[in-house]
Amino acid sequence: MEYDIVIGLEVHAELKTKSKVFCSCKNQFGSTPNSNCCPVCIGLPGALPVLNKKAVELVIKAGLCMDCEINDKAVFERKNYFYPDLAKAYQISQLVKPICVGGKIELKDKTVRLNRIHLEEDAGKLVHSSRAIGTLIDYNRGGVPLMELVTEPDISSAEEAVEFLTKLRSILVYSNVADCKMEEGGMRCDVNLSIKPKGSDVLGVRSEMKNLNSFKSVYRAIKYEAQRQIDILEQGGKIVQETRKWDDNKERSYAMRKKETSQDYRYFPDPDMLAVNISRELVSKIKDSLPELADQRFKRYVSYSLTEYESEILTRDKAYSDYFDKALSVYFEPKTIANWFLTDVMSKLKGQDEIKISPEDLALIIKSVDDKVISTKVSKEIFEKAWEEGASVEKLIKELSGNIEGEELRKIVETLVAENEKAVSDYRTTDQPEKVLRWFMGQVMKMTKGKANATQAETMILELIKE
Ligand code: ADP
Ligand code: MG
Ligand code: ZN
């Protein structure tokens, strides 16, 4: 039989705030374990949470970027469960009244509807180290603001799931809501998956794979899980609703526990937290301040006459796009700057992501070529030196550009032109005068050992050889 794959994702992203969501401890990855902690975020009895307004605003911002409705009132609830990384034995989350409802993300060939986006707190981190007896706990991550986005079951393949996550990450990064650094656990994803006979309207029983932290493992986990379920059905078996753990090394998943339902968590409104009233003024203020997202930048680049291919690469990574825009703000020649970026910069970037030349410097090099202050050949040398040795671009341009100019240069040009009458008449009769001009320029450079100010030299030559 043929089957459809049905996937719904639950994605967690750590919000880009300075402090945690219910206390003023730092929200910072990589600090000494348990150094960013206080009575609130390690769950000491009697400590009271105070809501970080910025976290609420970031979730609203995310929601507005994805066409969600923003609720007038959001309520925090306690989700009760015990796990050693959850100091209070409950997580402050949102169930009935999340900040955002509905919404959508457009993929190439389909629209994925969103169910909701809500705000909650992250748990601490268990560290299993061979150097320690037992398991260590780092509570630095406890209380870090997390947004959780839940999709409708609209995704139909591993490829589409990765496309969705790529698009979501781009939106969150461009809007400065989250960094989504997968390697730091800044974005994690649960995959809910079921299969059904092709074309059927009835959804099958789903399994849920928790906490996948790379796009590659999402992709592999989906391929594996869909096949596992198909095999079971083909053999006349039944799928049980359960939570499974994906093991990326073994490339298979294991049953963890029977699926818990929201009943199991005994959600109830957190008596320590006031309901949050979200004013329409705040929402429209955030709406007015939304930054340009990747899709909009893409369109802008295409309007500069860049190809879709070029525009796609430049917007794939916000750092690239920011760099490109910065260079444009110094020297507005989109096509030339894009060319340099996509060839010279990109070939240097292979395998690493630090762009070792500032956008201002790159723009300066390119402008100097266009202004004929330096030759293309020299420009590549300067680029190389700036990138590899951190040399000052401004200084190099001064050093390597022509410093023979003015009267001194005029004498040289006059002698050259006087001694080459034939070339002068060629210039006047040929249909390719620019070739002759280039020959004259070459001669000037030869006579000055490349030290002539090229712009001036060209003007002077033209003055003398034009009729
Ligand atoms: P829970 O809160 O128990 O995890 P939800 O109803 O909130 O369950 O759904 C969680 C995710 O599972 C959502 O992304 C939803 O789209 C998806 N989902 C629900 N039913 C199915 C199904 N039969 N097959 C695949 N995904 C599903
Ligand atoms: Mg779930
Ligand atoms: Zn704290």
Side-chain angles (χ1 to χ4, degrees), residues 198-215:
K198 200 168 189 61
S200 159
D201 292 335
V202 187
L203 292 186
V205 174
R206 70 179 144 131
S207 67
E208 177 170 6
M209 288 172 288
K210 288 241 180 233
N211 268 325
L212 298 162
N213 57 10
S214 75
F215 290 1

Side-chain angles (χ1 to χ4, degrees), residues 20 23 25 37-38 41:
K20 293 188 180 181
C23 62
C25 292
C37 298
C38 74
C41 59

Side-chain angles (χ1 to χ4, degrees), residues 49-62:
V50 176
L51 180 61
N52 181 341
K53 189 169 170 223
K54 178 79 185 181
V56 176
E57 291 175 357
L58 288 179
V59 174
I60 296 173
K61 195 174 181 191

